[in-house]
């Protein structure tokens, strides 16, 4: 089968489309014929050699990509809940061999049935970013109906889902993005939108229950300013797990009687199922920025590395009508 692998860490030039053996599913795994793979910033972070949190887990050569939509073509003896031919989506094997491949074997628990209302291309953009938003808002942020949330970086892959999930759960959502994306945030359902380049943007928001740092900015001075938006007892959740809170942030958290959490996404099947229900109920939409053929993966990485993608980048691996 064809797969995009790396044999060395580096720039987009280390990505190689090559022939490799098709994987065999273990007892608890599905073998998926991949129709499409999402592209996420972590793909090129791993391509470049990872960060402090990831480096120890990376093995070469490796197949990148941890966002898949496709069809079940085989499964291990212990798998229940899926049939051959099922359309599925999931976050396979992070940070091992992933979804930039014609076939991918991964634990069945990392997949759920694809939302029926989505194409495979759309579905491939959901799992990693969606689960990141879900874990941060609900597992760590404990966001509730009627609460107020500030979402920084609301126009990106994670932020776009976070705005919609928070609205679907009945929260009041304030989102930040660049000026050109403010209408997009309103389209996602944000109640208030702010240009992150406006002066004193932090002072424009008060009394929120949760701040979600879903922007790519890694800056502890900016975090201290953002904490002023929280009410006492509030929660600051950052998805930038590779960038710890420094002493100034720790002191500000204590002084303001708020909590800070670094949130890594969890690939839970139950959450993928709940997300699929919200999508099929029309409460959450998937916004695709661009689709690339698998062979143009390097261009997709270059685009992701701009940090100004609106919605999701997708790699098409198979045509929908080209399935086994
Ligand atoms: N913990 C986890 O499990 C996990 C998983 C996935 C991602 N992440 C992290 O989450 C962050 C977002 O990832 P993503 O996939 O959503 O990225 P993405 O799709 O590339 O989105 C980037 C977004 O960041 C916004 N942005 C750029 N500069 C900004 C700034 N100075 N201030 C505020 N927003 C800014 C951009 O908005 P404009 O175009 O409007 O400027 C863009 O919409 C990244 O730091 C990534 O590493 C963590």
């Amino acid at each position: 089968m064809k797969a995009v692998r790396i044999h060395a860490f580096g720039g987009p030039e280390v990505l190689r489309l090559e022939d490799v053996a098709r994987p065999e599913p273990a007892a608890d795994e599905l073998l998926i014929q991949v129709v499409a793979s999402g592209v996420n910033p972590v793909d090129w972070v791993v391509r470049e050699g990872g960060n402090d949190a990831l480096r120890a887990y990376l093995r070469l050569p490796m197949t990148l990509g941890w966002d898949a939509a496709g069809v079940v073509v085989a499964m291990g003896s212990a798998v229940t809940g899926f049939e051959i031919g099922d359309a599925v989506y999931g976050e396979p094997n992070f940070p091992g061999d992933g979804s930039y491949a014609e076939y991918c074997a991964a634990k069945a628990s990392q997949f759920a049935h694809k939302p029926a209302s989505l194409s495979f291309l759309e579905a491939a953009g959901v799992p990693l970013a969606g689960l990141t938003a879900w874990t941060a808002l609900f597992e760590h942020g404990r966001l509730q109906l009627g609460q107020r949330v500030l979402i920084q970086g609301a126009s990106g892959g994670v932020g776009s889902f976070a705005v919609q999930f928070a609205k679907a759960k009945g929260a009041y959502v304030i989102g930040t993005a660049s000026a050109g994306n403010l209408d997009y945030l309103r389209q996602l359902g944000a109640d208030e939108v702010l240009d992150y380049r406006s002066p004193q943007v932090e002072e424009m928001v008060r009394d929120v229950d949760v701040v979600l740092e879903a922007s790519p900015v890694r800056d502890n001075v900016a975090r201290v300013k953002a904490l002023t938006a929280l009410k006492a007892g509030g929660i600051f959740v950052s998805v930038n797990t590779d960038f710890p809170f420094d002493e100034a942030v720790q002191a500000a958290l204590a002084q303001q009687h708020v909590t800070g959490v670094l949130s890594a996404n969890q690939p839970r099947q139950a959450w993928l199922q709940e997300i699929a229900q919200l999508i099929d109920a029309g409460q959450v939409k998937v916004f695709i920025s661009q689709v690339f053929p698998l062979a143009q993966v390097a261009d997709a990485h270059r685009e992701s590395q701009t940090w100004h993608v609106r919605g999701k980048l997708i790699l098409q691996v198979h045509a929908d009508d080209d399935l086994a």
Side-chain angles (χ1 to χ4, degrees):
M1 68 165 187
K2 297 272 184 232
V4 171
R5 298 209 297 173
I6 58 169
H7 294 255
F9 298 118
E13 70 283 354
V14 301
L15 296 161
R16 285 200 213 158
L17 181 62
E18 51 191 26
D19 286 306
V20 296
R22 184 166 136 166
E24 294 291 332
D28 60 348
E29 288 185 338
L30 300 177
L31 179 67
I32 308 299
Q33 184 168 17
V34 179
V35 179
S37 171
V39 174
N40 291 282
V42 75
D43 302 6
W44 52 262
V45 170
V46 168
R47 190 204 70 214
E48 290 179 338
N51 53 37
D52 290 347
L54 286 171
R55 206 163 290 119
Y57 300 97
L58 306 181
R59 300 278 175 276
L60 294 174
M62 78 186 300
T63 302
L64 302 178
W66 297 284
D67 239 355
V71 175
V72 177
V73 291
M75 63 179 79
S77 55
V79 173
T80 56
F82 293 98
E83 306 282 345
I84 304 292
D86 281 355
V88 296
Y89 77 144
E91 185 189 324
N93 293 339
F94 182 78
D97 283 334
S99 55
Y100 289 4
E102 290 184 297
Y103 295 88
C104 175
K107 288 190 189 310
S109 62
Q110 296 171 345
F111 286 94
H113 290 99
K114 176 178 84 63
S117 57
L118 293 187
S119 68
F120 285 99
L121 291 175
E122 291 167 323
V126 178
L128 196 147
L131 288 164
T132 302
W134 195 276
T135 310
L137 285 177
F138 305 126
E139 181 74 1
H140 295 297
R142 287 181 253 135
L143 187 69
Q144 309 282 330
L145 174 80
Q147 287 192 330
R148 288 159 52 83
V149 58
L150 168 64
I151 299 173
Q152 301 175 309
S155 54
V158 175
S160 295
F161 286 116
V163 171
Q164 297 181 87
F165 293 164
K167 285 306 298 174
K169 294 284 179 182
Y172 184 89
V173 176
I174 305 158
T176 73
S178 58
N181 275 331
L182 297 182
D183 277 343
Y184 171 66
L185 299 195
R186 292 187 190 98
Q187 198 187 336
L188 294 173
D191 297 288
E192 284 178 47
V193 298
L194 294 170
D195 178 350
Y196 57 69
R197 292 197 184 98
S198 33
Q200 281 98 39
V201 63
E202 298 81 12
E203 288 160 25
M204 296 159 88
V205 183
R206 285 289 177 270
D207 289 330
V208 299
D209 299 277
V210 178
V211 173
L212 170 56
E213 180 188 81
S215 89
V217 175
R218 283 150 169 86
D219 178 347
N220 276 314
V221 175
R223 281 174 169 167
V224 170
K225 288 184 186 161
L227 291 181
T228 61
L230 283 167
K231 57 173 71 155
I235 306 176
F236 180 89
V237 188
S238 171
V239 298
N240 295 321
T241 51
D242 56 299
F243 190 73
F245 301 137
D246 68 3
E247 281 180 17
V249 174
Q250 306 275 11
L253 288 166
Q255 194 190 6
Q256 287 167 231
H257 305 290
V258 297
T259 312
V261 192
L262 296 178
S263 173
N265 80 82
Q266 298 172 22
R268 291 202 202 169
Q269 187 178 66
W271 293 348
L272 285 172
Q273 288 167 340
E274 213 172 323
I275 291 168
Q277 281 169 10
L278 289 177
I279 290 171
D280 284 339
Q283 289 184 273
V284 171
K285 301 211 176 328
V286 182
F287 292 86
I288 294 183
S289 159
Q290 232 176 313
V291 179
F292 299 82
L294 185 60
Q296 286 175 26
V297 59
D299 291 335
H301 276 213
R302 286 187 195 98
E303 181 61 24
S304 176
Q305 290 193 249
T306 67
W307 281 131
H308 289 292
V309 174
R310 175 198 283 189
K312 292 300 304 178
L313 299 170
I314 305 293
L315 292 176
Q316 181 150 21
V317 181
H318 278 104
D320 286 22
D321 54 3
D322 183 30
L323 299 174

